[in-house]
Amino acid sequence: MSGDVFRDICCAEKRGINTEVLEQILYIAVEIAREGREGRKIGTLFTVGDELAVMEHSRPLVLDPLFGHPNEKKQITLHDVRETIKELAQLDGAFVISNDGIAISAARYIDVLSDGVKIPLGLGSRHMAAASITRRTSAVAIVVSESSMVRVFDEGKIISEILPEIWMMRKHGLFMNMPTAKERSTEDIVVRTRTDM
Ligand SMILES: Nc1ncnc2c1ncn2[C@@H]1O[C@H](COP(=O)(O)OP(=O)(O)OP(=O)(O)O)[C@@H](O)[C@H]1O
C-alpha cells in the first residue's frame, strides 16, 4: 500500500501525524488479526502520535515490558520489535507508538471519557478506549478486534474498517478488476483471468 492510499483513509497528515508510522502499525495490526497467537484470535489497541498526551491519559496495567530499552531498539521498523509487539499483544491494554515510530509503552489502560465519541452499538470497551483517546488527544488509534476486524479511529470516531483478508489480497494484487480481466463462462461456472499476467 502506498502512503497515498493510506492518506485516503486517514486525515492524520493534517495534524502532523506520521502517516508512514501509521501505515507500519496498520500492517502489524492486520498481521495480528490474521495470525492470532498460538492458535487463537487476539485483539489489541495501538495509539499513534501525540504520545505525551496519550501517556498522560493512560496508566500501566503491569510493569511496562518496553520500559528502559534504548529508543533505537524500539523502532517499529525492526523485525525484532514487530515480533515483540505481536507477542505482547496478548496482554491487556494498549501500545503507545510515538510519532517517530518508537514503541514506547505496552499494556496501558486508557482513561475513557464517553463524551463526544461516536461508535456503533455492539462494540466494546477496547473500541470505546480508542474513540475516547482520539477525541481527547491528536493521536490516531488502531484497534484489532478479537473478531479479526481492524478499525482505525480519529477524532472520536471510526474512520476506516479493514477486513484483513481483503486487505492482503489487495496488497498482493489478487483482485481482478474488469478492465484487466477476461471471463469465460460454461453452464454454471464463470472463470475470470487476469489479462495482464
Ligand atoms: N480502557 C482500555 N484501555 C486499554 N485497553 C482496554 C481498555 N478497555 C478494554 N481494553 C482491552 O480490551 C479487551 C477486550 O475488552 P472488550 O471485549 O470489552 O472490548 P471490545 O471492544 O469488545 O474488543 P473485541 O472486539 O476485541 O472483543 C480487554 O481485555 C482489555 O485488554
Side-chain angles (χ1 to χ4, degrees):
M1 182 181 63
S2 75
D4 287 347
V5 175
F6 192 72
R7 279 188 283 279
D8 286 347
I9 63 165
C10 182
C11 62
E13 207 176 47
K14 282 192 288 189
R15 296 191 316 265
I17 301 251
N18 187 333
T19 49
E20 279 175 25
V21 173
L22 268 176
E23 186 173 337
Q24 293 276 346
I25 292 298
L26 204 49
Y27 275 125
I28 296 175
V30 166
E31 284 171 15
I32 291 171
R34 292 183 72 235
E35 294 164 12
R37 207 68 184 164
E38 293 170 7
R40 66 188 175 91
K41 296 278 181 196
I42 57 170
T44 192
L45 164 56
F46 297 92
T47 66
V48 178
D50 205 6
E51 54 276 10
L52 293 180
V54 173
M55 292 298 278
E56 216 169 277
H57 295 297
S58 61
R59 309 277 168 271
L61 287 170
V62 294
L63 292 177
D64 192 338
L66 295 175
F67 181 77
H69 303 282
N71 282 351
E72 63 270 22
K73 294 207 162 168
K74 295 192 289 188
Q75 280 288 346
I76 54 155
T77 46
L78 298 174
H79 176 78
D80 285 352
V81 174
R82 299 167 73 85
E83 290 306 311
T84 300
I85 286 175
K86 289 182 187 177
E87 189 64 24
L88 295 178
Q90 295 173 93
L91 300 175
D92 275 346
F95 291 95
V96 180
I97 310 295
S98 70
N99 207 33
D100 49 0
I102 295 162
I104 60 175
S105 190
R108 289 191 81 82
Y109 178 82
I110 307 275
D111 298 336
V112 179
L113 286 180
S114 59
D115 283 6
V117 306
K118 285 187 195 152
I119 66 169
L121 295 180
L123 298 179
S125 50
R126 187 177 353 246
H127 293 84
M128 187 58 91
S132 172
I133 198 69
T134 60
R135 168 87 178 149
R136 295 175 85 185
T137 69
S138 296
V140 168
I142 296 175
V143 172
V144 180
S145 168
E146 273 174 35
S147 64
S148 293
M149 184 73 99
V150 174
R151 296 184 177 92
V152 184
F153 286 77
D154 193 16
E155 295 177 345
K157 56 185 186 305
I158 295 173
I159 56 161
S160 181
E161 287 190 308
I162 295 154
L163 284 167
E165 298 305 330
I166 292 178
W167 171 274
M168 292 310 277
M169 284 195 281
R170 286 229 164 91
K171 181 185 164 198
H172 294 294
L174 295 177
F175 275 114
M176 294 185 288
N177 295 325
M178 281 312 289
T180 57
K182 74 178 178 217
E183 272 190 18
R184 285 183 292 128
S185 304
T186 59
E187 267 171 22
D188 49 7
I189 300 177
V190 176
V191 180
R192 297 182 76 204
T193 329
R194 283 180 70 150
T195 53
D196 59 346
M197 290 174 76

